[in-house]
Amino acid sequence: MKLSAASIKTTLATSALSSLLLCNSAMAESHTGHTEHAAHEHGAARLTIATTDAGMEITLESPAANIFGFEHLASDEADHKTIHQAVNKLKAGDTLLIADSSAACTLASVDIESAQVDAHSKEKHGDGEHDAHHDAHEAHDEHHDDDKHNDHDDHSDEKHADHDEHHDDHADEKHDDHESDHAESAHNDVDVTWNFSCENPAKLTQVDVRLFSAFPKGFEDVDVDWISTSQAGHLELNNDGIVLLSQ
């Protein structure tokens, strides 16, 4: 069977398009796999510096091991102390990331996203509200009338028993959930965002990065992407160093 010139042209075009789509798909899968691997490589991290008309925003994406030395949830007081000290360092972003003095920048906010920090804060700083609520509940009980006291005691005993049973069940479930979370926390990351307000943002020409000295046992290499209002660039740091916001 003899194909027309139009049919041959259509067939070739379809074949070329299919090949291009398959090639793009393979490249995308390869890039995605590489990115995921690089995103959780101990010792490695990614820092993004973006300048704006009002200042700059800097974000850090890092495995938790680079910052805390471990990736599990805190299991003892030593772990809690380590997390607490590391958080204090991260909150002092103006000592980790220092802009040109002529830009007159001040640290406006710090946002830390970390399962370990959340668990630490909940365990070490979340008891006060419960105690206050418990004390208020006891004070309320003392104001019941004497005539209703006996009935209240009977009801309270039953309610207390039910509460204890429910509390034990809840505690068991919570303990199981905690163990499950602990087992699944083999890979935890820390994402930090620092926002700086600058009086003279046009004079932002460099940032002195001091993550390596702040966490000497953690970072080995940091990929830095910087974006200004008119330019962008990339470099890799293996020690504390200055990132020039120009090419």
Side-chain angles (χ1 to χ4, degrees), residues 57-110:
E57 178 179 280
I58 302 179
T59 60
L60 173 69
E61 301 170 71
S62 170
N66 295 347
I67 295 173
F68 305 130
F70 53 85
E71 297 203 345
H72 56 266
L73 301 185
S75 57
D76 54 33
E77 286 303 316
D79 288 349
H80 281 293
K81 182 178 180 180
T82 297
I83 292 175
H84 179 76
Q85 291 175 339
V87 167
N88 285 342
K89 287 183 181 180
L90 293 174
K91 287 182 177 179
D94 49 359
T95 65
L96 302 174
L97 307 156
I98 304 171
D100 314 57
S101 58
S102 58
C105 298
T106 56
L107 183 62
S109 66
V110 182

Side-chain angles (χ1 to χ4, degrees), residues 4-195:
S4 65
S7 298
I8 293 174
K9 186 176 181 180
T10 301
T11 301
L12 290 175
T14 302
S15 177
L17 179 61
S18 298
S19 298
L20 181 61
L21 290 174
L22 288 173
C23 182
N24 287 344
S25 177
M27 290 177 65
E29 290 179 0
S30 175
H31 177 72
T32 300
H34 174 73
T35 300
E36 290 177 350
H37 173 73
H40 199 91
E41 180 183 348
H42 290 188
R46 180 174 297 279
L47 191 71
T48 303
I49 303 172
T51 64
T52 67
D53 292 335
M56 66 178 175
E57 178 179 280
I58 302 179
T59 60
L60 173 69
E61 301 170 71
S62 170
N66 295 347
I67 295 173
F68 305 130
F70 53 85
E71 297 203 345
H72 56 266
L73 301 185
S75 57
D76 54 33
E77 286 303 316
D79 288 349
H80 281 293
K81 182 178 180 180
T82 297
I83 292 175
H84 179 76
Q85 291 175 339
V87 167
N88 285 342
K89 287 183 181 180
L90 293 174
K91 287 182 177 179
D94 49 359
T95 65
L96 302 174
L97 307 156
I98 304 171
D100 314 57
S101 58
S102 58
C105 298
T106 56
L107 183 62
S109 66
V110 182
D111 180 59
I112 303 173
E113 295 184 14
S114 162
Q116 289 157 291
V117 173
D118 289 346
H120 163 75
S121 298
K122 184 176 181 180
E123 182 171 344
K124 305 305 284 185
H125 307 295
D127 295 332
E129 182 178 350
H130 173 74
D131 291 341
H133 176 75
H134 181 69
D135 292 342
H137 181 71
E138 287 186 342
H140 175 73
D141 287 346
E142 291 175 359
H143 285 81
H144 280 287
D145 294 334
D146 292 337
D147 292 338
K148 297 180 180 180
H149 185 70
N150 291 333
D151 291 339
H152 174 75
D153 284 346
D154 294 338
H155 177 70
S156 178
D157 289 340
E158 294 174 1
K159 185 175 181 181
H160 184 69
D162 291 340
H163 173 74
D164 285 347
E165 182 177 355
H166 174 73
H167 177 73
D168 290 340
D169 292 341
H170 180 68
D172 291 338
E173 290 174 4
K174 187 174 181 181
H175 180 68
D176 292 339
D177 290 341
H178 175 74
E179 288 186 342
S180 176
D181 290 341
H182 184 77
E184 294 175 3
S185 64
H187 295 297
N188 273 314
D189 294 320
V190 177
D191 294 334
V192 189
T193 301
W194 297 273
N195 278 291

Side-chain angles (χ1 to χ4, degrees), residues 216-230:
K217 296 182 180 180
F219 296 104
E220 296 175 5
D221 60 87
V222 176
D223 285 328
V224 182
D225 291 310
W226 60 267
I227 306 168
S228 69
T229 54
S230 59

